[in-house]
Amino acid sequence: ALVVSKESESKVLASFSYEIEPKRVTATFIADGQTVDIQEVPYGTAPEEPKDPVKTGHTFTGWNPEIGAITADTTYTAQFEPQTFEVSFTLNDTVEISSHISDPKHVPYGSKWEIKATAKPGYELTSATYEGWEKQPDGTLIRTITVTGDTTVVAPVATPVVYAISYEFTGVDDGDKSKIQNGNPTTYTIESGTITFADATCEGYAFKGWDIAKIDSGSTGDKTVTGAFKAIKEPAATCTDTEIPE
């Protein structure tokens, strides 16, 4: 209080007092783009810290700047750190899965990632539509995920490529090739068991063998197998004494 007085001949002629209100400043608190609190506080004092704000998928770490005595209007912004979650994969033997996720056990909330599926050798992604995946011109599949919790990505299942087995034969006259009997398979896949070729047959010829004996399990690619025949010669006719004319 300020007291003002005027004296004359040791007597007070007038006396009065009044209060000087301290300057007030404003503290504004913003969290996730929204104003959550506004406080007017006396110059040089600190505002009260509001209740910790909440942001989905994030942890509140404090206010920026730190709360303290202020001498001007001040804005405080809530600081958050994204929570992390695990991205796991359910794999199979038909495709390769790749992504740029460096640490699948600690993936930040809200982050987006591309997952790529590529058919392994001997397989193909034949369907134009795989649930959750988008077919690419090069035959691969892309899936984009946004992480909002622990996530499991199930790899698509590719289809085995069907390869052709063709047969060629040597040692048989062209006119006799229609007589060749060959009961061996004409297709196979990477999932086929080992194919061992049975002998082919042709009337008037002896089968000598194949240039390859088998196709091993897990093989890929079209195959051409050549079988060899050899003509069976009839015994030469012989004359006996009884057949000699007199």
Side-chain angles (χ1 to χ4, degrees):
L2 177 65
V3 178
V4 179
S5 64
K6 184 176 181 181
E7 297 183 1
S8 176
E9 297 179 354
S10 300
K11 292 182 180 180
V12 176
L13 300 179
S15 178
F16 61 92
S17 66
Y18 61 91
E19 296 285 338
I20 298 177
E21 288 289 334
K23 179 181 179 181
R24 301 183 72 81
V25 291
T26 301
T28 304
F29 294 85
I30 296 177
D32 197 21
Q34 302 295 320
T35 300
V36 296
D37 193 18
I38 298 177
Q39 300 178 28
E40 286 191 355
V41 298
Y43 179 94
T45 63
E48 294 183 3
E49 183 171 351
K51 181 181 178 181
D52 288 352
V54 175
K55 182 179 180 180
T56 303
H58 293 72
T59 300
F60 173 68
T61 60
W63 296 98
N64 183 34
E66 292 185 2
I67 296 176
I70 57 175
T71 57
D73 292 345
T74 303
T75 298
Y76 295 93
T77 304
Q79 303 299 295
F80 296 95
E81 285 187 358
Q83 298 170 0
T84 61
F85 299 93
E86 181 176 359
V87 176
S88 57
F89 299 90
T90 300
L91 304 177
N92 60 65
D93 293 332
T94 69
V95 296
E96 295 281 359
I97 296 294
S98 59
S99 74
H100 294 292
I101 301 176
S102 58
D103 184 1
K105 292 186 178 296
H106 301 91
V107 182
Y109 176 90
S111 58
K112 292 185 178 182
W113 302 93
E114 274 193 356
I115 314 298
K116 184 176 182 179
T118 305
K120 291 183 178 180
Y123 294 91
E124 58 186 346
L125 295 162
T126 56
S127 174
T129 304
Y130 287 82
E131 186 175 357
W133 297 84
E134 185 175 342
K135 191 75 175 287
Q136 305 301 303
D138 62 358
T140 61
L141 298 177
I142 294 292
R143 180 177 179 181
T144 302
I145 62 171
T146 300
V147 177
T148 57
D150 290 339
T151 304
T152 298
V153 178
V154 179
V157 178
T159 303
V161 176
V162 178
Y163 297 107
I165 306 174
S166 57
Y167 297 89
E168 296 180 352
F169 296 96
T170 63
V172 178
D173 293 340
D174 289 342
D176 292 332
K177 286 186 176 180
S178 61
K179 301 177 183 177
I180 295 174
Q181 301 294 315
N182 178 26
N184 290 297
T186 56
T187 61
Y188 80 102
T189 73
I190 193 172
E191 295 180 355
S192 300
T194 298
I195 299 173
T196 302
F197 298 107
D199 288 353
T201 61
C202 184
E203 184 180 352
Y205 297 86
F207 187 70
K208 307 299 292 182
W210 301 100
D211 61 340
I212 58 174
K214 61 182 180 178
I215 297 176
D216 292 324
S217 177
S219 296
T220 60
D222 294 338
K223 305 291 183 184
T224 298
V225 185
T226 301
F229 282 96
K230 184 177 180 180
I232 300 173
K233 293 183 178 180
E234 295 291 339
T238 58
C239 295
T240 62
D241 290 345
T242 56
E243 293 173 339
I244 300 174
E246 295 182 357

